[in-house]
């Protein structure tokens, strides 16, 4: 009997048994599978004290610059020995003297002309006095002539004198009348002659004043203590009116127009003004410096040199009022007093004009502010910001917030968080609200 065909039965039975075993349902033990917790980095949110900072850059420039321009012409007779570019000159120092010979001669000529006018005025006054005295005499003579004419006329009427004698008396009276009228006319012209001489006197006096002013302008004096930034002439050189002789920069202070991007300066100002302004208070740009100072904003000038950073306290002066057309930066002007004073204990060098520096603007410290990392802020499909937090059972929750100013890598939270919450920093994949979390603090993560 051939049994070889039956040898295939055992493998088939074994296969059927394995298939039934694999597809048999596991016995119901009555328990759910254990929930696994997802590890995430977290930090506890606590109100803190924050300070807003913005940095701008610019060059130090003299607070004022004075240029000596020739107001008179002539040859330079004196130059201060310290007139070279870079030299320091004190206030009141005589820098340049221009030859005043021509102006001295003009002054003397004007003095001589004044003396001549004074003599003419004295002569006119004497003539007027003489004419007045002569008029009194002539008027008396006229009175006598009139009396004589009346007497002869009465004699002619009585037939005691002739007509020819009366005509002679009339001619004498009329001639005297003409003489008196001429004197009166001459006296009436004296006031106008006096006014003419007085006008001439004023002209001569103005000539003296002009000459003396030219002599004064010939001496150029430094109006303040400063550094010579430009020197264009030398002693013996002839200069004309309008020639630029030299320039001096004031060394009492320097100003820096710091170029600050509004994206950096705006949040800092928002933080500084928080609670400082009344709701109905208008902000005038001309009062920007007053408002910044009132909000506690300070400025500091910094310069890196030879491996260290030197700093100078600065004063907020004004804003440029417009944005730069090329960079869109806002210009804020600060002032540093006594920039050339080198402070040895802190190894601070002088701050010279033209130095490129950084200006750091800082707000006063503000306590009780909620600040979180910017990377922890999420946005839903409608653009509403929110953060993930862990509740008391270490489960993932969604908390909606209202974000405020951005301060570097952090953002100020205005609403939604009050402190004490556990903020989820690392995002689980996928983030499912209610999922179990294994919390790892920032300190533990850094130590690992």
């Amino acid at each position: 009997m051939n049994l070889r065909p039956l040898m295939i039965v055992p493998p088939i039975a074994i296969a059927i048994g394995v298939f039934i075993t694999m597809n048999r349902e596991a016995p119901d033990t009555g328990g759910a599978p254990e929930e696994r917790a997802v590890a995430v980095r977290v930090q506890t949110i606590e109100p803190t004290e924050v300070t807003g900072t913005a940095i701008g850059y610019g060059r130090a420039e003299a607070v004022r610059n004075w240029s000596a321009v020739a107001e008179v012409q002539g040859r330079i007779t004196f130059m201060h020995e310290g007139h070279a570019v870079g030299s320091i000159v004190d206030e009141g120092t005589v820098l340049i003297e221009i030859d005043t010979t021509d102006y001295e001669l003009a002054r003397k000529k004007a003095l001589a002309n004044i003396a001549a006018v004074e003599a003419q005025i004295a002569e006119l006054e004497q003539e007027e006095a003489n004419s007045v005295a002569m008029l009194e005499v002539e008027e008396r003579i006229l009175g006598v002539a009139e009396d004589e004419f009346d007497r002869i006329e009465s004699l002619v009427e009585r037939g005691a004198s002739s007509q020819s004698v009366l005509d002679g008396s009339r001619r004498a009276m009329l001639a005297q009348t003409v003489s008196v009228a001429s004197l009166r006319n001459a006296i009436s012209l004296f006031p106008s002659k006096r006014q003419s001489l007085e006008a001439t006197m004023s002209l001569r006096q103005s000539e003296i004043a002009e000459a003396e002013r030219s002599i004064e302008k010939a001496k150029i004096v430094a109006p303040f203590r400063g550094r010579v930034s430009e020197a264009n002439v030398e002693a013996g050189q002839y200069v004309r009116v309008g020639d630029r002789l030299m320039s001096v920069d004031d060394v009492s202070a320097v100003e820096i127009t710091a170029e600050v991007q509004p994206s950096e300066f705006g949040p800092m100002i928002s933080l500084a003004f928080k609670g400082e302004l009344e709701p109905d208070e208008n902000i005038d740009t001309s009062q920007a410096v007053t408002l910044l100072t009132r909000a506690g904003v300070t400025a500091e000038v910094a310069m890196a040199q030879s491996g260290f950073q030197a700093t100078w306290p600065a004063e907020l002066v004004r804003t440029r009022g417009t944005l730069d057309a090329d960079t869109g930066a806002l210009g804020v002007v600060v002032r540093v007093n006594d920039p050339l004073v080198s402070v040895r204990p802190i190894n601070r060098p002088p701050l010279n004009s033209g130095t490129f520096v950084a200006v750091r603007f800082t707000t006063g410290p503000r306590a009780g502010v909620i600040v979180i990392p910017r990377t922890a802020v999420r946005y839903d499909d409608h653009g509403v910001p929110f953060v993930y937090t862990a509740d008391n059972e270490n489960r993932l929750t969604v908390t909606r917030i209202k974000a405020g100013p951005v301060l570097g890598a952090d953002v100020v939270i205005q609403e939604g968080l009050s402190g004490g919450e556990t903020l989820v920093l690392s995002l689980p994949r996928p983030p499912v609200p209610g999922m179990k979390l294994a919390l790892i603090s920032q300190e533990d993560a850094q130590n690992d």
Side-chain angles (χ1 to χ4, degrees):
M1 183 177 180
N2 188 7
L3 298 177
R4 295 183 62 181
L6 298 176
M7 294 179 63
I8 195 172
V9 175
I12 294 174
I14 293 173
I16 293 172
V18 172
F19 177 78
I20 294 173
T21 301
M22 292 180 63
N23 287 276
R24 183 181 299 165
E25 292 184 2
D28 188 6
T29 61
E34 183 180 356
E35 183 180 12
R36 296 180 57 188
V38 179
V40 292
R41 289 185 299 106
V42 296
Q43 76 172 41
T44 302
I45 299 175
E46 296 179 356
T48 184
E49 184 178 83
V50 298
T51 300
T53 302
I55 298 179
Y57 299 90
R59 291 192 179 276
E61 298 179 354
V63 68
R64 53 179 172 168
N65 174 273
W66 170 78
S67 296
V69 178
E71 298 183 75
V72 296
Q73 62 183 14
R75 194 170 303 279
I76 296 178
T77 58
F78 170 80
M79 285 286 295
H80 187 262
E81 58 182 5
H83 71 281
V85 174
S87 301
I88 299 294
V89 294
D90 293 324
E91 180 181 357
T93 301
V94 178
L95 302 176
I96 298 174
E97 289 186 4
I98 300 175
D99 185 20
T100 60
T101 302
D102 293 341
Y103 306 108
E104 291 286 355
L105 293 175
R107 181 176 179 276
K108 292 180 180 180
K109 181 178 179 181
L111 288 173
N113 290 333
I114 285 178
V117 174
E118 289 176 345
Q120 292 177 4
I121 291 176
E123 181 180 358
L124 181 66
E125 291 177 350
Q126 187 61 46
E127 288 180 359
E128 185 178 12
N130 295 339
S131 297
V132 171
M134 182 63 68
L135 178 60
E136 293 179 356
V137 174
E138 293 297 331
E139 286 178 343
R140 292 178 183 177
I141 296 174
L142 177 59
V144 172
E146 290 175 347
D147 292 341
E148 179 66 17
F149 175 77
D150 292 340
R151 187 180 65 81
I152 294 175
E153 186 179 23
S154 62
L155 291 175
V156 171
E157 292 176 353
R158 294 196 303 266
S161 180
S162 64
Q163 185 64 37
S164 59
V165 175
L166 180 61
D167 293 339
S169 177
R170 181 180 287 106
R171 285 194 297 271
M173 183 184 66
L174 293 175
Q176 189 62 30
T177 302
V178 172
S179 178
V180 170
S182 297
L183 280 173
R184 288 176 177 172
N185 291 336
I187 292 174
S188 65
L189 295 176
F190 281 113
S192 60
K193 292 181 179 179
R194 184 180 293 104
Q195 290 178 358
S196 176
L197 290 175
E198 288 176 350
T200 303
M201 174 68 76
S202 298
L203 176 62
R204 302 310 178 195
Q205 289 175 344
S206 64
E207 290 175 351
I208 289 181
E210 183 179 359
E212 291 177 345
R213 183 170 175 80
S214 297
I215 295 172
E216 181 181 352
K217 291 178 179 178
K219 181 182 293 185
I220 298 175
V221 180
F224 48 76
R225 187 172 185 268
R227 186 191 298 274
V228 178
S229 59
E230 183 181 355
N232 302 322
V233 293
E234 294 291 340
Q237 183 176 341
Y238 188 87
V239 296
R240 295 175 176 81
V241 176
D243 287 351
R244 188 186 180 98
L245 308 181
M246 65 189 308
S247 296
V248 177
D249 292 338
D250 191 354
V251 296
S252 63
V254 293
E255 289 185 349
I256 302 99
T257 302
E259 303 288 344
V260 186
Q261 289 297 328
S263 59
E264 295 185 10
F265 203 64
M268 187 202 73
I269 297 303
S270 177
L271 181 66
F273 284 158
K274 183 67 176 178
E276 294 292 333
L277 299 178
E278 297 296 333
D280 60 345
E281 186 172 354
N282 295 325
I283 300 178
D284 186 352
T285 54
S286 65
Q287 302 172 347
V289 172
T290 302
L291 293 174
L292 291 175
T293 304
R294 177 173 138 196
V297 177
T298 59
E300 183 182 58
V301 175
M303 178 185 66
Q305 186 178 30
S306 302
F308 70 95
Q309 189 176 61
T311 60
W312 293 262
E315 173 191 0
L316 289 168
V317 179
R318 61 185 179 276
T319 59
R320 187 170 54 196
T322 57
L323 299 181
D324 186 88
D326 298 325
T327 64
L330 174 67
V332 183
V333 182
V334 300
R335 179 178 299 170
V336 176
N337 295 319
D338 298 325
L340 298 187
V341 177
S342 178
V343 182
R344 292 302 177 189
I346 59 176
N347 200 23
R348 188 174 73 190
L351 180 59
N352 296 310
S353 297
T355 305
F356 187 78
V357 296
V359 181
R360 183 182 297 107
F361 300 93
T362 307
T363 65
R366 182 179 160 206
V369 180
I370 302 296
V371 178
I372 65 173
R374 293 172 59 186
T375 55
V377 180
R378 322 291 176 181
Y379 295 90
D380 62 14
D381 295 338
H382 302 287
V384 178
F386 68 91
V387 295
Y388 287 113
T389 58
D391 61 12
N392 296 333
E393 298 179 357
N394 293 344
R395 293 188 178 277
L396 187 67
T397 60
V398 175
T399 303
R400 299 190 181 277
I401 62 170
K402 179 180 179 182
V406 176
L407 303 177
D410 298 326
V411 59
V412 176
I413 303 302
Q414 296 178 341
E415 295 179 7
L417 300 174
S418 59
E421 299 90 344
T422 301
L423 178 68
V424 177
L425 300 178
S426 59
L427 186 64
R429 298 292 182 181
V432 179
M435 67 187 303
K436 188 71 173 178
L437 302 176
L439 308 184
I440 302 175
S441 66
Q442 281 282 73
E443 292 77 7
D444 295 339
Q446 292 175 356
N447 293 334
D448 293 343

